[in-house]
Every structure is written in C-alpha cells, then in structure tokens.
C-alpha cells in the first residue's frame, strides 16, 4: 500500500511564499511521476505541477514562473515551492503519485493540505 503525507500548507498574505512537501511510502517503483493538484471551493481539481523520476516537469500555465516542483528520489519526497502567491491560489493542495505498469496507470492521492492566500 502506498501512502502520501503532505505538509506545509497554511495561511499567507498575497505576495508571500509557502513550501509544500509530500512523502511517499510503501511500494514505489519506476517509472513514476509525483505531482501536485489543487481544488478550490466550487471548482474541479486541477493539475498544478508534476515531475517524473527522471526530473521531467510540467506546470499549469497559471503557476509558471511562480511555482517550482522538485523531488528527492532517495527520500521519495516531492516539494512545491510557491512564490508570489495570489488569492486565486487558495485551495486544497493534493499530492499524487502515478505509477505505470504496462498500459495501466496506478494513481494514489494524499489527504490534501489547505493553502489560503489573503489579499
């Protein structure tokens, strides 16, 4: 069983920074990708950023230039450095792990961590 535990959310003023962390434990194999998604009240969950175990990254246009995703493969940990935060970034942020076996994708979600940006 894979478990994902997020930390680092909180309340910050607009223009501030936060760093989210997510530690994965359990049966983790390659290839895989870890990432962050977010869901604001009344909206669908959306991709924020992903990173493969080969360090290929992908960002939502809304966060490019402000957020940076990174990972430590030895620690099975993914980070999201969020700078220049805006009130629109307010959401629950979820960590996710995608693992591929043949043509199948196994996706695991964390419990989520709240990020609130005040204006």
């Amino acid at each position: 069983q894979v478990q994902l535990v997020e930390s680092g959310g909180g309340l910050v003023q607009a223009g501030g920074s936060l760093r989210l962390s997510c530690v994965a434990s359990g049966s983790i194999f390659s290839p895989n990708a870890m990432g962050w998604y977010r869901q604001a009240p009344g909206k669908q969950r959306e991709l924020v950023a992903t990173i493969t175990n080969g360090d290929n990254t992908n960002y939502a246009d809304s966060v490019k230039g402000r957020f940076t995703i990174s990972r430590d493969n030895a620690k099975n940990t993914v980070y999201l450095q969020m700078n220049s935060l805006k009130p629109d970034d307010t959401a629950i942020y979820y960590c996710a792990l995608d693992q591929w076996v043949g043509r199948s994708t196994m996706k695991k979600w964390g419990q989520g961590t709240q990020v609130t940006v005040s204006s």
Side-chain angles (χ1 to χ4, degrees):
Q1 280 282 15
V2 174
Q3 286 191 322
L4 302 175
V5 178
E6 302 106 330
S7 61
L11 173 64
V12 65
Q13 288 188 332
S17 299
L18 282 175
R19 189 192 195 209
L20 305 183
S21 301
C22 172
V23 180
S25 61
S27 181
I28 300 166
F29 50 87
S30 298
N32 66 67
M34 297 185 76
W36 293 93
Y37 295 73
R38 67 187 181 187
Q39 187 166 17
K43 294 186 178 181
Q44 289 189 331
R45 191 173 298 188
E46 63 177 6
L47 179 146
V48 176
T50 60
I51 183 168
T52 68
N53 56 316
D55 286 338
N56 291 313
T57 59
N58 180 46
Y59 293 92
D61 288 343
S62 59
V63 306
K64 283 181 181 177
R66 300 188 298 122
F67 292 9
T68 302
I69 191 170
S70 60
R71 64 186 286 171
D72 183 333
N73 290 326
K75 296 181 179 179
N76 289 325
T77 301
V78 63
Y79 306 97
L80 185 68
Q81 178 66 43
M82 305 185 293
N83 299 328
S84 301
L85 282 161
K86 304 175 183 179
D88 283 349
D89 295 317
T90 295
I92 298 175
Y93 283 69
Y94 296 92
C95 176
L97 170 68
D98 289 328
Q99 302 186 94
W100 298 284
V101 180
R103 296 182 178 181
S104 299
T105 300
M106 299 190 305
K107 197 177 195 80
K108 184 70 176 180
W109 293 99
Q111 292 296 317
T113 184
Q114 177 71 47
V115 171
T116 303
V117 184
S118 64
S119 57

